[in-house]
Amino acid sequence: MTDPSPPAPPSRQPVFVLVRPQMGENIGAAARAMWNFGLDRMRITGPRDGWPNPKAVAMASGAGRLLDEARICGTTAEAVADAQVVYATTARERGMTKTVMTPEAAMRDAARRAAAGERTAVLFGPERSGLENEDVAHAQVIVTVDSNPAFPSLNLAQCVLLTAYEWRRATHEVEAEVFETGRTGLASREDVGRMVEHLETELDAADFFWPEGKAPAMKATLRNLFQRAPWTDADVRTLRGVIRALAEGPRRKG
């Protein structure tokens, strides 16, 4: 696994530029997606339904600050003027000589550049047609998702979410798999072994291991069953209580 780049200061996060977005709902959903993954630098060029947009605010649901602080630009050139490297998200063949990256590779590249003090921006096109060639011309890198060739177009907010997620992956180290034990700890192998011995003793008393010739194999299977998965202290205590209750038999209530 590639070591993540160190977290970038807010001023070095990539700017996400929504180019001529059409629906306020998508702008709000994009803001929410950005904030989900720790990004808060949004710029918007030529929003079709004007600005501010109450539908965007409603959809942002907790990420309204991004909309309040979003910078409205007249053109794509203005929106990326202070960036040193620009990434353009598009699924269409452009016929231009540019580096093409996956979102994962692009955000790793952006994270490396941010750590080196460079400023970056990511362009996202309008819902209906995507970025125009004039927009893509401002970029040094094209970002393309490996999607269904018969249906490659992503919704604006979906594309923002995917890219923001890859930025988070590139800048934060997260365990790929964690075993949660709640409020208890993992049981030791010794405690699990004693639990299995307790179970074997009671099963022996109940003549479970029969015929006698198969008893060793049956006990080995039983031990493998209980040693295969991790157990918590609470698991062991509970199962030992179950074994004890079954061995003692039913008791009258009251």
Side-chain angles (χ1 to χ4, degrees):
M1 179 178 177
T2 303
D3 291 336
S5 299
S11 62
R12 295 305 183 207
Q13 292 180 3
V15 173
F16 276 26
V17 181
L18 310 188
V19 179
R20 299 181 299 278
Q22 296 170 310
M23 298 178 62
E25 292 89 341
N26 277 333
I27 300 173
R32 182 173 181 176
M34 289 175 62
W35 192 228
N36 280 151
F37 298 106
L39 291 164
D40 60 5
R41 304 184 69 211
M42 174 185 282
R43 294 177 187 173
I44 306 171
T45 74
R48 184 191 65 182
D49 296 335
W51 196 260
N53 188 309
K55 292 182 178 179
V57 175
M59 185 61 75
S61 185
R65 179 178 67 83
L66 272 71
L67 302 180
D68 293 338
E69 298 175 359
R71 177 177 155 190
I72 306 301
C73 302
T75 64
T76 302
E78 178 188 345
V80 301
D82 60 345
Q84 292 160 303
V85 178
V86 178
Y87 306 84
T89 61
T90 178
R92 289 191 287 143
E93 178 64 45
R94 296 293 178 166
M96 298 181 183
T97 303
K98 293 184 185 295
T99 301
V100 179
M101 294 184 179
T102 64
E104 179 182 15
M107 290 302 96
R108 283 182 180 173
D109 184 65
R112 286 192 295 269
R113 293 179 181 279
E118 296 181 39
R119 293 181 296 275
T120 61
V122 187
L123 300 176
F124 300 89
E127 296 88 326
R128 180 172 297 177
S129 59
L131 295 169
E132 299 294 337
N133 282 348
E134 290 78 5
D135 303 310
V136 178
H138 293 285
Q140 290 72 52
V141 178
I142 287 177
V143 182
T144 298
V145 178
D146 183 18
S147 55
N148 178 6
F151 193 57
S153 179
L154 295 180
N155 170 273
L156 170 60
Q158 291 174 328
C159 192
V160 169
L161 177 71
L162 179 60
T163 308
Y165 169 67
E166 292 297 352
W167 167 262
R168 186 77 176 183
R169 289 184 64 207
T171 55
H172 292 76
E173 187 172 6
V174 179
E175 292 292 332
E177 181 176 332
V178 177
F179 182 72
E180 295 286 353
T181 60
R183 297 183 179 181
T184 186
L186 283 175
S188 68
R189 293 295 89 191
E190 181 182 10
D191 287 341
V192 175
R194 287 175 178 172
M195 177 191 71
V196 177
E197 288 174 1
H198 184 186
L199 179 59
E200 285 182 357
T201 298
E202 299 300 339
L203 290 175
D204 263 326
D207 292 328
F208 175 79
F209 299 110
W210 188 89
E212 187 175 341
K214 292 187 177 180
M218 295 172 71
K219 289 182 179 182
T221 299
L222 193 66
R223 284 185 172 274
N224 180 56
L225 171 66
F226 285 99
Q227 295 285 3
R228 194 160 51 209
W231 288 71
T232 67
D233 293 328
D235 293 334
V236 170
R237 288 195 301 269
T238 299
L239 191 54
R240 293 199 73 164
V242 169
I243 297 168
R244 191 176 301 111
L246 291 174
E248 293 175 355
R251 291 179 290 179
R252 292 182 180 274
K253 293 184 179 180

